[in-house]
PDB file of all heavy atoms in Angstrom:
ATOM      1  N   MET X  95      -9.350  31.919   9.472  1.00 91.00           N
ATOM      2  CA  MET X  95      -8.903  30.619   8.962  1.00 91.00           C
ATOM      3  C   MET X  95     -10.098  29.686   8.767  1.00 91.00           C
ATOM      4  O   MET X  95     -10.219  29.013   7.736  1.00 91.00           O
ATOM      5  CB  MET X  95      -7.911  30.006   9.952  1.00 91.00           C
ATOM      6  CG  MET X  95      -7.451  28.607   9.593  1.00 91.00           C
ATOM      7  SD  MET X  95      -6.096  28.630   8.425  1.00 91.00           S
ATOM      8  CE  MET X  95      -5.565  26.922   8.524  1.00 91.00           C
ATOM      9  N   TYR X  96     -10.985  29.666   9.738  1.00 93.00           N
ATOM     10  CA  TYR X  96     -12.176  28.817   9.674  1.00 93.00           C
ATOM     11  C   TYR X  96     -13.036  29.192   8.468  1.00 93.00           C
ATOM     12  O   TYR X  96     -13.518  28.321   7.729  1.00 93.00           O
ATOM     13  CB  TYR X  96     -12.971  28.974  10.971  1.00 93.00           C
ATOM     14  CG  TYR X  96     -14.175  28.078  11.108  1.00 93.00           C
ATOM     15  CD1 TYR X  96     -14.036  26.741  11.478  1.00 93.00           C
ATOM     16  CD2 TYR X  96     -15.460  28.571  10.900  1.00 93.00           C
ATOM     17  CE1 TYR X  96     -15.138  25.916  11.631  1.00 93.00           C
ATOM     18  CE2 TYR X  96     -16.575  27.755  11.045  1.00 93.00           C
ATOM     19  CZ  TYR X  96     -16.405  26.437  11.420  1.00 93.00           C
ATOM     20  OH  TYR X  96     -17.503  25.620  11.559  1.00 93.00           O
ATOM     21  N   ALA X  97     -13.211  30.483   8.252  1.00 95.00           N
ATOM     22  CA  ALA X  97     -14.011  30.953   7.112  1.00 95.00           C
ATOM     23  C   ALA X  97     -13.319  30.650   5.788  1.00 95.00           C
ATOM     24  O   ALA X  97     -13.964  30.235   4.810  1.00 95.00           O
ATOM     25  CB  ALA X  97     -14.273  32.445   7.253  1.00 95.00           C
ATOM     26  N   TRP X  98     -11.990  30.835   5.751  1.00 94.00           N
ATOM     27  CA  TRP X  98     -11.258  30.593   4.498  1.00 94.00           C
ATOM     28  C   TRP X  98     -11.310  29.126   4.094  1.00 94.00           C
ATOM     29  O   TRP X  98     -11.473  28.808   2.912  1.00 94.00           O
ATOM     30  CB  TRP X  98      -9.805  31.045   4.656  1.00 94.00           C
ATOM     31  CG  TRP X  98      -8.982  30.803   3.431  1.00 94.00           C
ATOM     32  CD1 TRP X  98      -8.998  31.536   2.270  1.00 94.00           C
ATOM     33  CD2 TRP X  98      -8.047  29.738   3.221  1.00 94.00           C
ATOM     34  NE1 TRP X  98      -8.119  30.991   1.357  1.00 94.00           N
ATOM     35  CE2 TRP X  98      -7.529  29.894   1.920  1.00 94.00           C
ATOM     36  CE3 TRP X  98      -7.604  28.691   4.014  1.00 94.00           C
ATOM     37  CZ2 TRP X  98      -6.573  29.023   1.389  1.00 94.00           C
ATOM     38  CZ3 TRP X  98      -6.661  27.822   3.498  1.00 94.00           C
ATOM     39  CH2 TRP X  98      -6.157  27.994   2.204  1.00 94.00           C
ATOM     40  N   LEU X  99     -11.178  28.228   5.055  1.00 95.00           N
ATOM     41  CA  LEU X  99     -11.240  26.800   4.744  1.00 95.00           C
ATOM     42  C   LEU X  99     -12.567  26.437   4.080  1.00 95.00           C
ATOM     43  O   LEU X  99     -12.604  25.600   3.170  1.00 95.00           O
ATOM     44  CB  LEU X  99     -11.032  25.969   6.007  1.00 95.00           C
ATOM     45  CG  LEU X  99      -9.614  25.921   6.586  1.00 95.00           C
ATOM     46  CD1 LEU X  99      -9.588  25.123   7.873  1.00 95.00           C
ATOM     47  CD2 LEU X  99      -8.631  25.339   5.579  1.00 95.00           C
ATOM     48  N   GLN X 100     -13.635  27.068   4.513  1.00 95.00           N
ATOM     49  CA  GLN X 100     -14.932  26.756   3.922  1.00 95.00           C
ATOM     50  C   GLN X 100     -15.030  27.250   2.481  1.00 95.00           C
ATOM     51  O   GLN X 100     -15.726  26.647   1.665  1.00 95.00           O
ATOM     52  CB  GLN X 100     -16.046  27.343   4.791  1.00 95.00           C
ATOM     53  CG  GLN X 100     -16.140  26.647   6.143  1.00 95.00           C
ATOM     54  CD  GLN X 100     -17.288  27.143   6.985  1.00 95.00           C
ATOM     55  OE1 GLN X 100     -18.457  26.935   6.647  1.00 95.00           O
ATOM     56  NE2 GLN X 100     -16.977  27.814   8.087  1.00 95.00           N
ATOM     57  N   THR X 101     -14.304  28.315   2.146  1.00 94.00           N
ATOM     58  CA  THR X 101     -14.268  28.744   0.746  1.00 94.00           C
ATOM     59  C   THR X 101     -13.502  27.761  -0.126  1.00 94.00           C
ATOM     60  O   THR X 101     -13.627  27.788  -1.349  1.00 94.00           O
ATOM     61  CB  THR X 101     -13.625  30.141   0.605  1.00 94.00           C
ATOM     62  OG1 THR X 101     -12.223  30.060   0.916  1.00 94.00           O
ATOM     63  CG2 THR X 101     -14.310  31.152   1.511  1.00 94.00           C
ATOM     64  N   GLN X 102     -12.707  26.889   0.507  1.00 93.00           N
ATOM     65  CA  GLN X 102     -11.934  25.887  -0.232  1.00 93.00           C
ATOM     66  C   GLN X 102     -12.680  24.553  -0.343  1.00 93.00           C
ATOM     67  O   GLN X 102     -12.098  23.543  -0.735  1.00 93.00           O
ATOM     68  CB  GLN X 102     -10.587  25.658   0.454  1.00 93.00           C
ATOM     69  CG  GLN X 102      -9.772  26.919   0.665  1.00 93.00           C
ATOM     70  CD  GLN X 102      -9.561  27.701  -0.612  1.00 93.00           C
ATOM     71  OE1 GLN X 102      -9.014  27.181  -1.591  1.00 93.00           O
ATOM     72  NE2 GLN X 102      -9.986  28.957  -0.624  1.00 93.00           N
ATOM     73  N   GLY X 103     -13.955  24.554   0.007  1.00 91.00           N
ATOM     74  CA  GLY X 103     -14.762  23.347  -0.136  1.00 91.00           C
ATOM     75  C   GLY X 103     -14.799  22.468   1.093  1.00 91.00           C
ATOM     76  O   GLY X 103     -15.312  21.349   1.040  1.00 91.00           O
ATOM     77  N   ILE X 104     -14.262  22.955   2.217  1.00 92.00           N
ATOM     78  CA  ILE X 104     -14.226  22.165   3.450  1.00 92.00           C
ATOM     79  C   ILE X 104     -15.357  22.665   4.343  1.00 92.00           C
ATOM     80  O   ILE X 104     -15.186  23.616   5.106  1.00 92.00           O
ATOM     81  CB  ILE X 104     -12.865  22.297   4.152  1.00 92.00           C
ATOM     82  CG1 ILE X 104     -11.731  22.032   3.156  1.00 92.00           C
ATOM     83  CG2 ILE X 104     -12.774  21.336   5.332  1.00 92.00           C
ATOM     84  CD1 ILE X 104     -10.365  22.429   3.660  1.00 92.00           C
ATOM     85  N   THR X 105     -16.504  22.065   4.243  1.00 92.00           N
ATOM     86  CA  THR X 105     -17.679  22.520   4.968  1.00 92.00           C
ATOM     87  C   THR X 105     -17.812  21.775   6.290  1.00 92.00           C
ATOM     88  O   THR X 105     -17.215  20.705   6.483  1.00 92.00           O
ATOM     89  CB  THR X 105     -18.948  22.297   4.137  1.00 92.00           C
ATOM     90  OG1 THR X 105     -19.204  20.876   4.042  1.00 92.00           O
ATOM     91  CG2 THR X 105     -18.787  22.868   2.731  1.00 92.00           C
ATOM     92  N   PRO X 106     -18.603  22.314   7.228  1.00 93.00           N
ATOM     93  CA  PRO X 106     -18.823  21.601   8.496  1.00 93.00           C
ATOM     94  C   PRO X 106     -19.437  20.221   8.315  1.00 93.00           C
ATOM     95  O   PRO X 106     -19.325  19.376   9.211  1.00 93.00           O
ATOM     96  CB  PRO X 106     -19.772  22.544   9.248  1.00 93.00           C
ATOM     97  CG  PRO X 106     -19.474  23.901   8.692  1.00 93.00           C
ATOM     98  CD  PRO X 106     -19.177  23.675   7.246  1.00 93.00           C
ATOM     99  N   ALA X 107     -20.080  19.986   7.171  1.00 93.00           N
ATOM    100  CA  ALA X 107     -20.712  18.682   6.930  1.00 93.00           C
ATOM    101  C   ALA X 107     -19.743  17.649   6.365  1.00 93.00           C
ATOM    102  O   ALA X 107     -20.067  16.459   6.297  1.00 93.00           O
ATOM    103  CB  ALA X 107     -21.890  18.849   5.975  1.00 93.00           C
ATOM    104  N   SER X 108     -18.542  18.072   5.973  1.00 94.00           N
ATOM    105  CA  SER X 108     -17.581  17.148   5.360  1.00 94.00           C
ATOM    106  C   SER X 108     -16.994  16.216   6.421  1.00 94.00           C
ATOM    107  O   SER X 108     -16.442  16.673   7.424  1.00 94.00           O
ATOM    108  CB  SER X 108     -16.440  17.925   4.689  1.00 94.00           C
ATOM    109  OG  SER X 108     -16.917  18.781   3.679  1.00 94.00           O
ATOM    110  N   THR X 109     -17.117  14.922   6.184  1.00 97.00           N
ATOM    111  CA  THR X 109     -16.518  13.933   7.080  1.00 97.00           C
ATOM    112  C   THR X 109     -15.507  13.101   6.303  1.00 97.00           C
ATOM    113  O   THR X 109     -15.520  13.076   5.064  1.00 97.00           O
ATOM    114  CB  THR X 109     -17.578  13.006   7.691  1.00 97.00           C
ATOM    115  OG1 THR X 109     -18.160  12.212   6.651  1.00 97.00           O
ATOM    116  CG2 THR X 109     -18.658  13.803   8.410  1.00 97.00           C
ATOM    117  N   PHE X 110     -14.655  12.401   7.034  1.00 97.00           N
ATOM    118  CA  PHE X 110     -13.666  11.555   6.377  1.00 97.00           C
ATOM    119  C   PHE X 110     -14.334  10.405   5.625  1.00 97.00           C
ATOM    120  O   PHE X 110     -13.799   9.909   4.636  1.00 97.00           O
ATOM    121  CB  PHE X 110     -12.682  11.006   7.412  1.00 97.00           C
ATOM    122  CG  PHE X 110     -11.683  12.020   7.877  1.00 97.00           C
ATOM    123  CD1 PHE X 110     -12.009  12.932   8.879  1.00 97.00           C
ATOM    124  CD2 PHE X 110     -10.418  12.090   7.317  1.00 97.00           C
ATOM    125  CE1 PHE X 110     -11.099  13.871   9.318  1.00 97.00           C
ATOM    126  CE2 PHE X 110      -9.494  13.030   7.740  1.00 97.00           C
ATOM    127  CZ  PHE X 110      -9.833  13.935   8.746  1.00 97.00           C
TER     128      PHE X 110
END
Side-chain angles (χ1 to χ4, degrees):
M95 176 84 167
Y96 185 79
W98 179 76
L99 287 177
Q100 292 184 67
T101 69
Q102 305 306 302
I104 310 167
T105 69
S108 300
T109 66
F110 284 83

